[in-house]
Amino acid sequence: MSELRFLTAGESHGKGLTVTVEGLPAGLPLTEEYMESDLRRRQGGYGRSKRQQIEQDHAEIIAGVRHGRTLGSPLALFIRNRDWENWGEVMQVEPFEGEVKRVTRLRPGHADLAGAMKYGFDDVRNVLERASARETAARVAVGAVCRRLLEEFGVAVHSHTVSIGDVFASPTSRGEPDWEAVEKSPVRCAGAKASERMVKAIDTAREAGDTLGGVFEMRATGVPIGLGSHVMWDRKLDGLLAQAVMSIHAVKGVEIGGGFALTSTPGSQAHDVILPPEKWDGRPWRRATNRAGGLEGGITNGEPVVVRGALKPISTLSKPLPSVDLITGEEIQAHYERSDVCTVPAAGVVGEAMVAIVLAQSMLEKFGGDRLEETRRNYEAYIKTLGPRGRQE
Ligand code: EPS
């Protein structure tokens, strides 16, 4: 179990989201302003619903920071839901005497049915409020804090859209995508032509009352060799990353590096040749390729960590699917209020947060430290031990 952990709370249309982050070292420079850009990026992307015009997510620091630096005490954040004001009685905390309209028309694909059965509810709102991907705003705030920590060690985490519906970005070979182009694209895809086609696909889906899924990819650079471990199943970093990315709402698949495609290549073309020291570029133990996605035996190998998430299409459809009423058992059409048409661009930002959280956890597990200088000292001492064993002082 890692030293760094966090808990979120909050309903989609409640007062707001809260997060408590425990286990950060003291002395890490951190401001509310630093978290703004990731929160803004999560709200964007072509295909989002009108909800994002209501919200302007801002994470207020309630505890754990003094004079711009972490204290080593729990960090507490609060993100207000602006929309809450429009949901006063429906989401009121105090007992409510009047009649509130219940949600009983089950949406196939959402947590509605299973959640109502599990918790014994006769109003699906009690499930959908927490099952909503609104919760990812809190995760992105934690992800930004972890990104701040990783930056201190030269680790950067980016993401881009690989596909939306049946439109694919042209495959990037070994190099990193052009991250500036990604951030400028309305669908967070580096290729201008593919971006255009993705936007069109979203428009077509919207007109048809439909939704679209896709694939998003996270790439973490500057990750040192040796995070995670081969010695026990629950310490394998690829497994931890897969769980973290799979936990993002609507994700149905996760791949590391070459992933499923590696199954159809012979072994001679599935692995990454180790280069001799003359060919290293300042970082030890470089490879000719990175099909392993930076992970071998559940341990980082020094190459960029590459994780992809597969997002199913959002289950709330403006042209709803046939369904059944939770109370009467009657055949009806599923519930619809409003919904995103596509959230793949936003999912990439959430994916970055989850990858940053897992990497920060494993960095702290390996290097420890109650204050940042201690973590840094341990990190630097370890880096000196890398390199061919016979050539060390
Ligand atoms: C979200 C807010 C929600 C949804 C979305 C994520 O807003 P509302 O329910 O008020 O329209 O747009 O949630 C879902 C995709 C879902 O299936 O619940 C957000 O802030 O990201």
Side-chain angles (χ1 to χ4, degrees), residues 60-359:
E60 187 186 348
I61 299 177
I62 305 289
V65 175
R66 179 165 180 249
H67 298 163
R69 282 183 188 266
T70 55
L71 294 169
S73 56
L75 173 74
L77 306 175
F78 179 64
I79 301 170
R80 191 166 72 90
N81 286 333
R82 285 188 170 197
D83 203 18
W84 179 62
E85 275 134 49
N86 307 320
W87 291 76
E89 290 179 350
V90 177
M91 293 305 293
Q92 179 173 307
V93 172
E94 298 77 26
F96 185 66
E97 299 303 330
E99 190 68 20
V100 170
K101 200 167 170 287
R102 289 184 297 185
V103 178
T104 58
R105 290 177 294 150
L106 302 163
R107 287 167 301 172
H110 221 287
D112 298 358
L113 171 59
M117 289 300 116
K118 178 173 173 65
Y119 290 92
F121 293 138
D122 58 6
D123 183 353
V124 168
R125 181 155 304 287
N126 290 338
V127 176
L128 71 85
E129 284 290 332
R130 182 63 182 163
S132 164
R134 175 88 192 127
E135 189 257 351
T136 60
R139 298 204 214 177
V140 166
V142 184
V145 175
C146 292
R147 186 195 295 286
R148 189 65 278 288
L149 177 76
L150 294 172
E151 267 177 1
E152 296 284 334
F153 300 92
V155 178
V157 186
H158 291 100
S159 71
H160 67 122
T161 298
V162 173
S163 68
I164 288 180
D166 60 4
V167 184
F168 285 77
S170 51
T172 42
S173 49
R174 184 151 153 70
E176 295 288 301
D178 176 350
W179 298 121
E180 261 180 49
V182 168
E183 296 308 324
K184 280 191 193 135
S185 156
V187 284
R188 308 197 61 255
C189 173
K193 283 215 178 98
S195 284
E196 246 173 64
R197 284 189 288 126
M198 287 174 183
V199 165
K200 274 200 192 118
I202 294 170
D203 285 339
T204 309
R206 183 187 289 110
E207 279 155 30
D210 221 326
T211 57
L212 287 179
V215 175
F216 54 100
E217 178 179 87
M218 283 67 70
R219 302 179 70 94
T221 53
V223 183
I225 295 186
L227 301 186
S229 178
H230 63 290
V231 302
M232 194 55 70
W233 68 272
D234 60 353
R235 293 181 61 190
K236 287 179 182 268
L237 197 70
D238 39 12
L240 295 167
L241 284 164
Q243 196 277 328
V245 173
M246 188 64 100
S247 77
I248 299 170
H249 306 66
V251 168
K252 285 300 217 184
V254 179
E255 281 188 322
I256 309 260
F260 280 70
L262 289 178
T263 59
S264 56
T265 55
S268 56
Q269 286 159 49
H271 303 288
D272 306 305
V273 166
I274 301 170
L275 298 173
E278 299 73 56
K279 294 194 175 161
W280 296 352
D281 54 2
R283 297 180 65 81
W285 300 112
R286 299 314 305 264
R287 306 298 180 99
T289 52
N290 185 23
R291 293 156 179 154
L295 283 145
E296 287 168 316
I299 316 175
T300 54
N301 66 6
E303 290 295 325
V305 170
V306 183
V307 189
R308 271 186 295 281
L311 200 79
K312 69 177 179 180
I314 297 279
S315 51
T316 312
L317 302 172
S318 71
K319 215 189 236 176
L321 286 172
S323 186
V324 172
D325 186 278
L326 172 70
I327 309 295
T328 64
E330 267 173 296
E331 270 193 80
I332 39 89
Q333 291 213 308
H335 178 73
Y336 179 77
E337 259 158 21
R338 72 178 160 206
S339 181
D340 307 280
V341 177
C342 177
T343 54
V344 180
V349 179
V350 181
E352 285 174 35
M354 295 316 292
V355 168
I357 290 166
V358 173
L359 291 179

